[in-house]
Amino acid sequence: MSEGCGVKLLRVGPVGQERPAVMDGAGNLRAISEPEIDGAFFASGGVARVREALERGELPSLDTEGLRIGAPIARPGKIVCIGLNYRDHAEETGAAIPAEPIIFMKAPNTVVGPYDEVLIPRDSVKTDWEVELAVVIGETARYVETHEEALSKIAGYAISNDVSEREFQLERGGQWDKGKSCETFNPLGPWLVTADEIADPQALGLRLWVDGEPYQDGDTKNMIFQIAEVVRYLSRFMVLEPGDVINTGTPAGVALGLPGTPYLRAGQVMELEIDGLGRQRQTVGQA
């Protein structure tokens, strides 16, 4: 998945009616003829088809006035998340540095667009933010042996906000999933940047603000388990399929680890960015 010139893929339009698009080198959106950006798209060589059509100048421009940007891929088959994957985040939450990646799952229907509203669940008082680098799988990964092979399975990268309800996650018993799978808890995008456009995924700055105040300012170089190892490791326990998403962990600066634990409240605004992957902005609402 790593040859050729990188492209930025996205999906635009009303909720449930998104259509695939690509951003050209000048920053203009162009319509593509693919029915959807999903697992079948990646598995069938969709990235190469879009790149070739873009290079040939065949794609019509889109009027972006008032156009909503949705998540860059349709509902993934699964969202696999890595917990406590930055040393500073583990330390701020009082957790031990994990010896192996901590894995949990997030419901695929948590995915929303990068500018859509995020809803605080009913009875929640501990809804938290987490800026993360999302990995989108482009080829089936099963019992991957090497890091080089693992990286070859990646279609691209995007910004993910792994919104979390800490009481549901940590204080209500059972697994973390119940604090991770509430509706709207995974804004994704604005684009999927293909892997060949990111020279080094372990050299990307991640930042998050709430109401303009900076809270997270990290770098993917500080991951405990780097992206290639995460993909290799996961493939030993489950088959990763085209269109699957991996949330690779968050750096320090979440509300859980801050003095006064300033959890989200309705009306607040989160802004997130990762180098080369664009920027998100979500207003917080109430379910």
Side-chain angles (χ1 to χ4, degrees), residues 96-257:
I97 301 300
E100 295 188 47
I102 294 173
I103 301 171
F104 62 92
M105 309 294 284
K106 195 158 188 162
N109 66 354
T110 58
V111 171
V112 294
Y115 310 111
D116 290 347
E117 186 179 42
V118 167
L119 297 176
I120 294 176
R122 295 178 188 179
D123 303 318
S124 166
V125 293
K126 296 184 178 181
T127 295
D128 205 346
W129 58 79
E130 294 190 18
V131 59
E132 304 202 7
L133 175 65
V135 170
V136 178
I137 297 298
E139 298 177 4
T140 299
R142 177 178 178 272
Y143 294 110
V144 170
E145 296 291 344
T146 68
H147 287 175
E148 181 180 24
E149 183 186 359
L151 291 175
S152 76
K153 304 298 186 180
I154 296 173
Y157 303 95
I159 304 172
S160 181
N161 188 355
D162 177 21
V163 186
S164 308
E165 212 297 337
R166 301 303 189 186
E167 180 188 2
F168 299 175
Q169 176 189 355
L170 301 171
E171 302 174 32
R172 300 288 294 272
Q175 298 182 339
W176 288 7
D177 302 38
K178 69 175 76 169
K180 297 285 189 172
S181 290
C182 306
E183 61 180 333
T184 73
F185 265 27
N186 205 133
L188 190 67
W191 322 300
L192 169 69
V193 178
T194 53
D196 45 351
E197 189 165 321
I198 302 299
D200 183 359
Q202 302 298 165
L204 301 176
L206 310 85
R207 292 164 290 275
L208 180 142
W209 300 258
V210 178
D211 291 342
E213 183 172 349
Y215 281 107
Q216 292 188 276
D217 186 1
D219 195 293
T220 58
K221 70 182 179 182
N222 295 322
M223 286 181 179
I224 297 169
F225 304 102
Q226 297 197 339
I227 292 161
E229 174 59 14
V230 166
V231 173
R232 188 205 67 81
Y233 183 87
L234 289 175
S235 78
R236 317 301 292 182
F237 299 96
M238 65 187 76
V239 177
L240 300 173
E241 298 179 327
D244 285 350
V245 172
I246 305 170
N247 287 340
T248 57
T250 198
V254 300
L256 174 65

